[in-house]
Amino acid sequence: MDVILLGAPGAGKGTQAQVLEEHIGLVHVASGDLFRAALRRGTELGMLAKSYMDRGELVPDEVVIRMIIERISQNDCASGVIFDGFPRTVAQAEALDAMLGRHGTQIDRVIRLEVNSQKLIDRVAKRFAEEGRKDDNPESFKIRLQAYTDQTAPLIPYYEKQGKLVGVDGMADVDAVAKSIATALDNL
Ligand code: AMP
């Protein structure tokens, strides 16, 4: 089973992906985490991504797509992946569909975590205070939110047309949201 968690920054994708990893045994593939790990290792990929990430802008599609292809080609991903933060553009979604199609598989469900803007702002401000993630500062966060609206929200009709999109109320507490996601995945 391959699942995408779709939602604005602060919608709870990372938290819910961890829950799914523990409970259903899907492998959590988070593009942002992969970039941050590359940066910690000081690789060329990390250095390249850093300037975009610090500003809150999206890393170019071809860079992200190459990194994801490499990650999901690894053996541990064979039994199913939960994508967190990827795809973020229609071009990335098309590349993912093509890539999975070559392996005779496809995305089974896209879970859209719905959270209003004020809640997103509050959550990310809290995360900034607690974890100090550079791109959670208010200025970068505004740009990330705009990037979501302009470049990522078009994925909603993209997956709707494929009949894969399920909306989940992401305003509730972690357990309640996890239950709604489990229900959305149950009939697969
Ligand atoms: P995240 O941890 O998912 O919020 O990602 C942090 C940052 O990494 C984003 O603001 C982008 O700069 C970059 N990034 C992560 N995933 C992608 C993606 N799929 N496409 C483009 N940039 C990405």
Side-chain angles (χ1 to χ4, degrees):
M1 176 160 70
D2 289 314
V3 176
I4 293 171
L5 285 186
L6 186 62
K13 301 187 294 297
T15 304
Q16 293 300 330
Q18 270 170 21
V19 174
L20 284 173
E21 185 169 53
E22 272 166 36
H23 290 151
I24 337 188
L26 296 176
V27 174
H28 178 193
V29 172
S31 41
D33 287 350
L34 292 174
F35 283 133
R36 282 183 287 275
L39 187 57
R40 276 196 302 274
R41 288 197 307 273
T43 66
E44 209 175 308
L45 173 74
M47 303 311 279
L48 174 69
K50 181 180 163 36
S51 53
Y52 294 97
M53 293 172 79
D54 284 352
R55 287 196 297 271
E57 293 171 8
L58 295 189
V59 176
D61 284 335
E62 61 275 15
V63 176
V64 187
I65 291 166
R66 211 177 333 121
M67 175 179 78
I68 292 289
I69 290 182
E70 201 181 303
R71 176 65 188 95
I72 66 175
S73 305
Q74 290 166 9
N75 286 341
D76 62 326
C77 290
S79 53
V81 169
I82 169 117
F83 290 97
D84 159 13
F86 179 90
R88 257 178 162 97
T89 65
V90 170
Q92 291 178 20
E94 288 170 346
L96 180 62
D97 281 348
M99 188 189 336
L100 294 175
R102 281 195 292 275
H103 292 94
T105 151
Q106 59 167 351
I107 292 295
D108 297 292
R109 272 280 184 286
V110 179
I111 307 286
R112 179 188 174 201
L113 292 175
E114 297 163 343
V115 176
N116 72 32
S117 314
Q118 191 53 53
K119 184 98 172 172
L120 296 174
I121 292 166
D122 292 348
R123 281 187 184 169
V124 171
K126 185 165 174 270
R127 187 166 70 184
F128 185 49
E130 286 172 1
E131 299 172 24
R133 215 179 103 174
K134 210 171 170 181
D135 59 346
D136 280 341
N137 78 73
E139 208 40 54
S140 299
F141 182 65
K142 235 165 71 189
I143 298 169
R144 289 166 67 205
L145 212 47
Q146 196 60 48
Y148 176 78
T149 306
D150 296 343
Q151 293 167 275
T152 308
L155 293 179
I156 297 167
Y158 179 89
Y159 286 117
E160 225 158 26
K161 266 191 216 125
Q162 295 189 0
K164 293 176 179 167
L165 193 79
V166 181
V168 161
D169 176 10
M171 301 284 286
D173 61 57
V174 174
D175 289 347
V177 177
K179 266 199 196 116
S180 307
I181 294 176
T183 305
L185 296 179
D186 237 352
N187 53 352
L188 281 177

